[in-house]
Amino acid sequence: MTHEPSQRALLEAAAEGLRRLAGDARCRTAFTVPGSTLREVLSPAARRYVIAPDRAGFLEEARALRAKGYRVSAAFVPPDQDGSDPAGVERIVVEYLELLAHGAAPDRLGFDLCDVGLALSPELAAENTGRIAAAAAARGSEVVLSMERSRTVDAVLGVYGALADRYGNLGITLQAHLHRTEDDAAAMARPGRRIRLVKGAFPEPARTALGRGPALDDRFLALAGRLVDEGVRLSLATQDPVVLAAADRGGLLDRIEDVEMLYGVQPRLLRHYREAGRPCRIYATYGTNWWLHLLRRLTEHPPMVLSALADIGAGRDVAAATEYA
């Protein structure tokens, strides 16, 4: 007798399919060619998850979200995500510096170290991160480094460790799905440090990481509890309503810095927590190179594939900001 998969198992399988598409080099190439049909067809769906195509648009949208009571983190999607071109790396650093120079600069930035030079050398990544962190500190803003695939974790933690004592506004992201993260969390946790805890967006082999499911949920919550016990200023970054409900029942939401969700993913759920009096943060990405970003956002909540198809079918750009009201 054939058994239908559970709803959760089906969603996790769909998420894995989206991760594979996001990592497919053929799709990325098709997206970046001049006059890309793939870009044209999918652009209405991307507007839900990319707050704006440029800095001016980001600042305008972020101002409106802050007026509604949300904290907003900024992440720029650079035109070239390879990170191996020194001139391209410098353009990304300058983009963040110019964003911070604006009067309405966000209270937090987030970026991958590969975007600021890690692919060239850890020393360059550290130098550029220091430049951005210093400019952010002058504005009263924070920088929280993103975390990448498991093969880069040591390098990212090395850069963070070299800078954390010098820049008190610098934080780090940890991925709960990696088996190593329990040890990394113990090493990184200090009273007052900023840590952003995520489940983990990148596919990894079973020897390296847990897959999505109840075991990962339990690990995520356990790690969060240990981090706040150590006095960490924790951003609980998840769109999972089951995990958030468990965190609420267990009193964890009373102890964290904020609940963080990606722009456009579960906006009504985040609004629920804001209306309940919880500090809420939106991690908002801007730029035009959104192929990976779109697929990863759909991965976070696979039912939104239907909304993406509806947006494409209607040929309309739908901004998610109205759902945060």
Side-chain angles (χ1 to χ4, degrees), residues 64 101 268 288:
R268 294 178 184 177
T288 58

Side-chain angles (χ1 to χ4, degrees), residues 6-31:
S6 70
Q7 183 70 12
R8 178 157 188 165
L10 185 61
L11 292 177
E12 295 297 348
E16 180 59 28
L18 289 164
R19 290 187 192 100
R20 290 181 182 275
L21 280 175
D24 192 312
R26 296 168 299 176
C27 293
R28 292 200 301 273
T29 299
F31 178 83

Side-chain angles (χ1 to χ4, degrees), residues 38-52:
L38 187 61
R39 179 192 295 268
E40 180 182 350
V41 169
L42 294 180
S43 61
R47 184 65 181 91
R48 281 188 185 268
Y49 306 106
V50 180
I51 194 168

Side-chain angles (χ1 to χ4, degrees), residues 8 199 212-222 240 242-243:
R8 178 157 188 165
K199 285 187 177 182
R212 293 298 175 103
L216 178 55
D217 295 350
D218 291 343
R219 179 188 285 179
F220 182 87
L221 290 167
D240 190 327
V242 174
V243 168

